[in-house]
Amino acid sequence: MKVRWAGIGLLAAVITASPAGGEEPRLNVYNWSDYIAPDTIPKFEAETGIRVTYDVCDGNEVLEAKLMSGRSGYDVVVPSASPFMARQIAAGVYRVLDKSKLPGWRNLDHHILEMVSAADPDNKHGSPYLWSDTGIGYNETQVHAALGEGAPVDSLALIFDPAVAEKLAPCGISLLDTPQEVFPAALGYLGLDPKSRDLGDLDKAFAVLEKIRPYIRKFHPSQYINDLAGGDLCVALGYSGDVIQARNRAREAGNKVEIAFRVPKEGAMMSIDMLGIPADAPHPENALRFVDYLLRPEVIADVTNAVWYPNPNLPATALVKPEIRNDPAVYPPEEIRRRLYVDLPAPAAYERARTRAWTRLKSGR
Ligand code: SPD
């Protein structure tokens, strides 16, 4: 999907602003859907005179395929730090960020920078943008109607226990469309290390998934936002901010659908999404201007205020609306953070086995 933003102030800005580095005033951005404020791009265009082509995708795998084949045409992309950006860096996909052009870098939380340095040593290639955890989104009324008041809403049993999944199937369960999220969650449900690279553990996770496969209505990276909000789905394994957006959409619609998000007691994957500039970006100077723009506290706070994903910009925190800053589903408190784990790059043989298992699972063969 392509979205072309044409801010009202753009024409005036084109006349008054000079493009950086003699580049044509263009910028091609590839981001996840529902992952920016409605006015972020128009305001950037109005201020800089740079015209932005903004495409959206919903998966690290899709982005990776574009990047690895070269000549993606993008100037700024948004991979998750680990394992995706880590292996893309190893493949030489990104430019080193010129920090002298990123004065806003000083705003970044050192704790987050340290975390992503495991994927991007010395923080050379990526600027952390927003982060999330992967948990359970559910429709309170429907789940309690199907399972009673004792429903295990804070447990991955809500999805991976076949007896539970069977009862929820009529109101609808959806899974993220990626083995990189679903297998670790199934391993966690089994009490195994979600980062296990043991092929025997992979088989055990597959056995769990195979049993619940008949009860899964959809594998999709983002459709669950509207489906949950509309009452068309009762449980989703999804990203924190997306589930909260579903909750908000339902409230705005006034349709009496109440959506909640839980970080499962068995643990949840934490992902930090990064801004990276591909090595063959056609407009790398404009890309740096955009990255620095997103490092401004007021700009990234507006993004968080729109999409309900936490950002790693320390001075921005005070500018985030209190109801978001204080929402434990958005900024999890310490006792919940202790349950979060970060995925790591896997050996190629394990990746191949997991991809094969995933294909088998989805096709039901
Ligand atoms: N709608 C935006 C979703 C972005 C979620 N981040 C991706 C994390 C992948 N592990």
Side-chain angles (χ1 to χ4, degrees), residues 32-35 58 60 80 82 84 132 134 180-181 222 224-225 239 242 245 269 271 273 309:
W32 298 70
S33 60
D34 303 297
Y35 218 35
D58 270 317
N60 274 301
S80 299
S82 187
F84 293 94
S132 59
T134 303
Q180 188 261 340
E181 297 278 356
S222 59
Y224 61 90
I225 306 178
Y239 302 122
D242 286 1
Q245 287 179 46
M269 188 180 293
S271 302
D273 293 330
Y309 279 99

Side-chain angles (χ1 to χ4, degrees), residues 182-346:
V182 174
F183 274 96
L187 287 165
Y189 166 67
L190 287 171
L192 297 167
D193 178 358
K195 293 179 292 204
S196 167
R197 302 309 183 208
D198 182 286
L199 292 176
D201 288 352
L202 183 68
D203 285 346
K204 289 178 194 154
F206 181 78
V208 164
L209 291 168
E210 210 175 17
K211 286 200 192 92
I212 59 147
R213 175 67 184 91
Y215 310 124
I216 303 304
R217 185 179 292 175
K218 255 180 216 169
F219 292 87
H220 199 279
S222 59
Q223 182 60 41
Y224 61 90
I225 306 178
N226 280 336
D227 287 352
L228 282 172
D232 300 321
L233 194 69
C234 58
V235 174
L237 182 71
Y239 302 122
S240 47
D242 286 1
V243 173
I244 298 162
Q245 287 179 46
R247 179 191 74 185
N248 298 343
R249 282 181 204 179
R251 285 181 185 170
E252 279 158 25
N255 61 3
K256 298 198 165 60
V257 169
E258 262 309 320
I259 302 300
F261 176 77
R262 289 295 179 95
V263 173
K265 64 178 186 202
E266 296 90 346
M269 188 180 293
M270 172 182 178
S271 302
I272 304 172
D273 293 330
M274 309 288 286
L275 302 165
I277 304 178
D280 56 1
H283 313 100
E285 292 297 322
N286 297 342
L288 281 166
R289 286 182 80 175
F290 186 60
V291 172
D292 196 52
Y293 181 73
L294 290 171
L295 285 167
R296 291 186 199 167
E298 65 279 13
V299 173
I300 196 68
D302 277 354
V303 173
T304 293
N305 285 332
V307 300
W308 296 64
Y309 279 99
N311 68 70
N313 189 305
L314 288 177
T317 309
L319 307 174
V320 171
K321 289 181 190 159
E323 68 264 34
I324 299 178
R325 200 188 326 137
N326 299 321
D327 186 333
V330 186
Y331 285 88
E334 189 46 42
E335 72 268 20
I336 302 259
R337 286 187 195 215
R338 278 198 285 270
R339 288 189 223 154
L340 305 181
Y341 59 86
V342 174
D343 197 19
L344 297 170

